[in-house]
Amino acid sequence: MNKPGRKFWLTLMICGVLVLTAISCGKKGDPAKDLDALDDEGLPANIKTGVKPQADSEVAVIEVNDYGRIVIELYPNVAPKMVERFKKLISEHFYDGMTFHRIDPQLGIIQGGDPLSKDSNPANDGTGDSPYPDVPGEFSDILYERGTVGAARQGGPAGDKLQFDTANCQFFITLKPQPAFDKKYTVFGRVIDGIKNAEIIMGAPVKEGSERPDPDIVVKTVTLQPRSNFPQ
């Protein structure tokens, strides 16, 4: 049998470097943990279908300096683990003083919930976690539309299953339909009051060449209040 040539070994080395790069980028995580299987389209295999969201008895009330209030109803029957984490962090005042560190009018999103947004280093915004383990993906066929609230997770190559179980504390609100997000990011709530405030935040000025608001858009408090206080 002929021995592998120089070209073979060079190709093997390049492949090894690419694999290591893919699993080491983004926020810290454990690439060896149990992961969701994927279907033929690169989607998680555990997608809940036909689930009608049922609102929790409590809502999350986000008070934003200079921008007013955003009220989010939560869906524990769709994403029980993410709702539990969100409520736990709210009860610990985890989100108070953080910023909406990312806004993108073209994509139609605002994103917050990163504890590192409290420090003076903008370069680390979007990479922070809570002290608790990552939350497994809880995917459904609920569409990302105006006002949908989703769990941010670690980024990576399209269809990379290493990323699906890396939600933790960060969240985002879509203000336009986002079919590219459907079935790939955990939906755990919806804005029921203050959607206009969220849209104003989305259009705020940013640092040149970035998605970071300038000046900072600071979350004063996030509290849990009875859903009955916000009838629709």
Side-chain angles (χ1 to χ4, degrees):
M1 180 183 294
N2 293 331
K3 294 183 178 180
R6 182 178 178 183
K7 185 176 180 180
F8 170 84
W9 291 113
L10 181 60
T11 302
L12 187 63
M13 289 174 63
I14 292 172
C15 291
V17 170
L18 290 174
V19 170
L20 288 173
T21 301
I23 66 173
S24 63
C25 292
K27 72 183 185 182
K28 294 180 180 179
D30 179 9
K33 63 186 162 186
D34 293 336
L35 302 166
D36 296 324
L38 300 177
D39 65 15
D40 292 338
E41 296 181 352
L43 296 173
N46 61 337
I47 298 172
K48 296 179 182 178
T49 59
V51 179
K52 184 178 180 180
Q54 297 176 3
D56 190 77
S57 61
E58 294 181 304
V59 295
V61 180
I62 304 173
E63 297 285 352
V64 187
N65 287 348
D66 303 320
Y67 288 89
R69 183 177 68 187
I70 301 171
V71 180
I72 297 170
E73 70 176 9
L74 306 171
Y75 300 144
N77 71 313
V78 177
K81 292 184 175 64
M82 190 62 211
V83 169
E84 179 183 18
R85 170 62 56 81
F86 196 53
K87 292 180 67 172
K88 178 179 179 65
L89 293 175
I90 291 171
S91 69
E92 295 173 352
H93 303 283
F94 176 81
Y95 293 111
D96 298 358
M98 294 184 193
T99 71
F100 279 103
H101 64 270
R102 180 190 179 196
I103 58 176
D104 188 332
Q106 290 188 328
L107 191 60
I109 68 166
I110 63 174
Q111 183 171 332
D114 182 0
L116 297 180
S117 69
K118 290 183 178 182
D119 66 24
S120 59
N121 178 15
N124 63 19
D125 289 0
T127 64
D129 282 336
S130 75
Y132 304 112
D134 287 344
V135 178
E138 299 172 291
F139 306 106
S140 67
D141 60 0
I142 298 172
L143 302 181
Y144 276 94
E145 299 177 322
R146 181 173 181 259
T148 304
V149 181
R153 57 175 173 78
Q154 183 177 337
D160 183 357
K161 66 180 181 180
L162 291 175
Q163 315 305 324
F164 284 128
D165 288 337
T166 57
N168 192 287
C169 59
Q170 294 187 44
F171 63 94
F172 62 93
I173 300 170
T174 52
L175 297 161
K176 299 177 182 179
Q178 281 299 335
F181 295 177
D182 294 345
K183 303 179 183 178
K184 295 179 181 179
Y185 292 83
T186 298
V187 171
F188 70 97
R190 181 177 66 92
V191 175
I192 60 169
D193 186 54
I195 191 72
K196 292 291 187 182
N197 295 335
E199 288 174 333
I200 293 171
I201 290 171
M202 182 178 65
V206 297
K207 290 185 182 293
E208 185 175 357
S210 78
E211 297 174 328
R212 179 185 170 89
D214 184 21
D216 288 345
I217 297 175
V218 179
V219 173
K220 182 179 179 181
T221 61
V222 184
T223 57
L224 294 170
Q225 298 184 29
R227 174 67 178 80
S228 57
N229 289 353
F230 301 91
Q232 286 192 303

